[in-house]
Amino acid sequence: MAYSPVNTTRLSSEPHRFIDAIPLKAATVLRKNDLVLTQDADGYAVSAPAASCHCIGVSQEEKDNTSGASGDLTVRVEQGTFLLANSSGDPVVIADVAIKALCYAEAPGIVCHTAAGKSPVGRVVGLSEFKSPSGTSLGVLVQIGPNS
């Protein structure tokens, strides 16, 4: 699957928290606004999609650790509420908003409804218009961080 940049938008009215110096796993590439996941076993940051991980936030910078060892580079991560792209094949729906359901990482800036083989991103708090290079669609407002 070819990478296509996502315009992740954070809600400025919501409280946000920044975490500096999260170490990257070897062979990991993160782009600005990618979902950042960590694995329980080692705690290194990886990009979505990855199974059995936890989303810790959204990357605030581009990092390429393809030729480095785990921990050679670090990334700055932001937590808060973000407008993310909704999956076209397994979309988050309005019923998920009502129960603040978890959504899951399908791609670096795309979330979906079903958990099977995916990592949780955060709590669904709304649906809203989302603009991407391919047009306008329904995006997902997701709360990522310690309160989600």
Side-chain angles (χ1 to χ4, degrees), residues 7-22:
N7 296 323
T8 304
T9 304
R10 91 173 164 89
L11 298 182
S12 59
S13 62
E14 296 288 321
H16 283 254
R17 181 175 107 157
F18 293 93
I19 305 171
D20 288 322
I22 303 294

Side-chain angles (χ1 to χ4, degrees), residues 22-69:
I22 303 294
L24 264 65
K25 189 167 187 77
T28 296
V29 175
L30 283 172
R31 290 176 177 81
K32 186 173 181 177
N33 297 326
D34 278 358
L35 293 170
V36 179
L37 309 174
T38 60
Q39 298 172 316
D40 285 338
D42 57 23
Y44 291 112
V46 296
S47 181
S52 303
C53 294
H54 297 284
C55 183
I56 59 167
V58 173
S59 174
Q60 294 304 293
E61 55 194 346
E62 295 196 16
K63 293 291 177 132
D64 185 343
N65 200 26
T66 51
S67 59

